[in-house]
Amino acid sequence: MSLTVYEAVGVVVLLLRRRLPATTFVVGFGALLAALVWGAGEGAKLSPLVFLPLAVLLYNLGHHGASWRRTV
């Protein structure tokens, strides 16, 4: 259940990543953290591919962020 929700959130934040880079990174990171905690509680084995959306969002934050001061 939690991975399905994480995948849905991942799709939405990837679609909005250019418009709101900092917000989508924070939401994507929070969703990944929740999926990892929930998955560990259920004993699920997660693929390393769950980190791919976060890597894309982090790159996008660095590339499309207005300035590093504003991003921080």
Side-chain angles (χ1 to χ4, degrees):
M1 173 69 180
S2 67
L3 290 178
T4 306
V5 173
Y6 170 68
E7 291 170 355
V9 170
V11 168
V12 171
V13 295
L14 286 175
L15 290 174
L16 296 174
R17 73 184 189 272
R18 289 193 179 151
R19 191 174 288 182
L20 304 165
T23 305
T24 55
F25 176 75
V26 170
V27 170
F29 184 73
L32 176 65
L33 202 63
L36 289 175
V37 170
W38 193 304
E42 294 177 350
K45 293 184 179 181
L46 301 176
S47 167
L49 291 176
V50 298
F51 296 102
L52 187 61
L54 187 66
V56 171
L57 291 172
L58 185 60
Y59 172 79
N60 187 65
L61 181 64
H63 188 264
H64 292 290
S67 70
W68 69 272
R69 287 184 182 166
R70 181 175 174 200
T71 302
V72 170

